[in-house]
Amino acid sequence: MSDAAPQFSMRSVALAALLPTLLFSIGEGAIIPLIPLVAHDLGASLALAGLLGALVMVGTVVGDIPSGAIVARIGERTAMIWAALLSVIAVLICLAAPNALVLGIGVFIVGLATAVFGLARHAFLTSYVPIQYRARALSTLGGVFRAGFFVGPFLSAGVIHLTGGTQAVFWVFIVCCLAATAVLLLLPDPASTFGAPQGRPGTAGADGLFRTLRANRGVLLRLGTGVGLVGAMRATRLVIMPLWAVSIGIGQADTALIIGIAGAVDFALFYVSGQIMDKHGRLWSALPSMLGLGSGLLVLAFTHDLPSNVAWFIAVAMFLSLANGIGSGIMMTLGADLAPRSNPAPFLGAWRFAGDLGSAVAPLAVAGITAIATLALASGVAGVAGLFGAGILARYIPRYLPRTAKRPAEHPAKPAASK
């Protein structure tokens, strides 16, 4: 509607979607690093403890596609509320867990709730934010998520220092989830703030989900592969950098400092990424980001045995953070652009599944290549994959989202004819 844009403000988005997201991600960021430690305290081996720590991501991947049907049926705001409450139940299971198996069940449910909450906030901004502000809103959402994961571990460290036990950190997540729920309940309905969403039907079940997947199978296979590689590059960067520091003999404190500064560079660029996408087009953020991530990992592969390998590590770490920051919000923005306006949630669930699957598979691939060969080869393979992903994005973003279009087509799964 023409009156949607005047009603919009970044402040209203912050209250309705970003503040609950910040609270939820702070709580999640507080517990995720400590899940392996809690599992080990319950008698799990180091290998099993690591596996349990990965169950949040596994639960998120499993929950991505069905979360689309859930959000389409009950609405974004209600879905976020129930996801936050489900997280509380899951964390209480973790607190009461007598063994590692029960802890794993609770952690897996946290992942399922994360999928629903993440999809709901993504669909919320897709439905209510005018397209001229969309990339900035979604890149800010990505920045808020990163901020929560930055603050959460520091908060958990303070709680452990005060209480002397790791399990007390689970209460941080409970408090954050309840606070997010309170914010969502106390705020007015989004329709009264932004105006009605763009033509959503009243219900959408499994039939609507599968119909959406069939109608959009082309873009999900093509650009979905590209976005899966974006997720893979981001996860690879987070895994390889600390492993690389260990392999070249950098101490733990120095490693934490370098990665922390790199994380600050990454975080500082989230709004710049949104401005680039809104003013110049999505490709101007996506392509430099993937080229940077791919080339950075490829360069890193050849620096391991150089005399100045520590200096190279620092330089590449900062370069990778710059590349990642420039692409902040790109996966969510592309998904929002491509989703059918009448019912975006089912498509967004499948879209997020592609990105999260890449994020889940990449660390396993890095571990496997490192085990049978070297970490340098793993970095090189990841770099080549990143450059391949850049090629996919360069080919298919202009095809499915032509720069001259004022807004995405109602059914963007059919590319423009080209011969």
Side-chain angles (χ1 to χ4, degrees), residues 78-101:
T78 303
M80 282 192 281
I81 291 171
W82 282 108
L85 295 177
L86 178 60
S87 294
V88 172
I89 295 172
V91 173
L92 290 174
I93 292 173
C94 294
L95 277 169
N99 53 54
L101 176 61

Side-chain angles (χ1 to χ4, degrees), residues 48-403:
L48 180 58
L51 177 62
L52 291 175
L55 282 179
V56 172
M57 192 69 232
V58 173
T60 301
V61 171
V62 171
D64 274 330
I65 291 182
S67 68
I70 293 171
V71 173
R73 180 172 291 277
I74 67 176
E76 296 92 350
R77 181 171 178 246
T78 303
M80 282 192 281
I81 291 171
W82 282 108
L85 295 177
L86 178 60
S87 294
V88 172
I89 295 172
V91 173
L92 290 174
I93 292 173
C94 294
L95 277 169
N99 53 54
L101 176 61
V102 177
L103 176 68
I105 293 172
V107 172
F108 180 78
I109 296 173
V110 169
L112 294 176
T114 299
V116 176
F117 193 94
L119 187 280
R121 65 194 178 191
H122 191 179
F124 179 91
L125 293 178
T126 299
S127 297
Y128 290 102
V129 175
I131 190 172
Q132 62 265 36
Y133 302 105
R134 177 179 288 165
R136 277 168 283 184
L138 287 169
S139 62
T140 301
L141 177 62
V144 166
F145 180 78
R146 296 175 193 195
F149 266 66
F150 180 75
V151 172
F154 289 102
L155 190 58
S156 64
V159 170
I160 292 172
H161 178 73
L162 292 174
T163 64
T166 55
Q167 285 197 326
V169 174
F170 285 118
W171 288 103
V172 174
F173 197 9
I174 291 175
V175 171
C176 287
C177 287
L178 293 177
T181 302
V183 169
L184 290 164
L185 288 172
L186 292 174
L187 287 175
D189 185 85
S192 65
T193 304
F194 299 101
Q198 303 175 33
R200 181 187 300 119
T203 61
D207 181 58
L209 169 64
F210 292 121
R211 185 166 57 248
T212 299
L213 295 180
R214 285 194 301 270
N216 295 278
R217 61 185 179 274
V219 69
L220 289 171
L221 287 173
R222 296 183 179 98
L223 261 181
T225 300
V227 83
L229 287 170
V230 172
M233 288 303 98
R234 292 176 173 178
T236 298
R237 164 179 163 265
L238 294 177
V239 171
I240 279 186
M241 297 315 290
L243 292 178
W244 199 274
V246 171
S247 71
I248 63 176
I250 300 178
Q252 292 181 352
D254 290 336
T255 299
L257 178 62
I258 293 168
I259 293 178
I261 294 173
V265 172
D266 186 352
F267 173 73
L269 293 169
F270 71 85
Y271 197 73
V272 174
S273 171
Q275 288 182 312
I276 291 172
M277 285 188 279
D278 276 337
K279 294 181 179 180
H280 303 290
R282 312 322 191 201
L283 193 62
W284 286 89
S285 174
L287 191 57
S289 178
M290 281 296 278
L291 288 173
L293 289 170
S295 60
L297 289 169
L298 198 57
V299 168
L300 187 67
F302 295 97
T303 66
H304 190 278
D305 297 322
L306 295 180
S308 55
N309 55 7
V310 174
W312 275 104
F313 171 77
I314 295 172
V316 171
M318 300 306 158
F319 180 75
L320 290 174
S321 294
L322 175 65
N324 196 54
I326 288 296
S328 178
I330 185 61
M331 291 196 294
M332 290 188 292
T333 302
L334 288 175
D337 289 342
L338 292 162
R341 282 179 290 169
S342 61
N343 186 21
F347 175 89
L348 292 178
W351 183 258
R352 294 174 69 88
F353 173 81
D356 288 341
L357 183 62
S359 299
V361 169
L364 299 177
V366 170
I369 296 173
T370 302
I372 63 176
T374 64
L375 184 61
L377 181 61
S379 181
V381 170
V384 172
L387 296 179
F388 178 70
I392 292 176
L393 296 177
R395 175 175 174 80
Y396 289 115
I397 288 179
R399 176 179 293 193
Y400 288 100
L401 294 170
R403 183 66 184 91

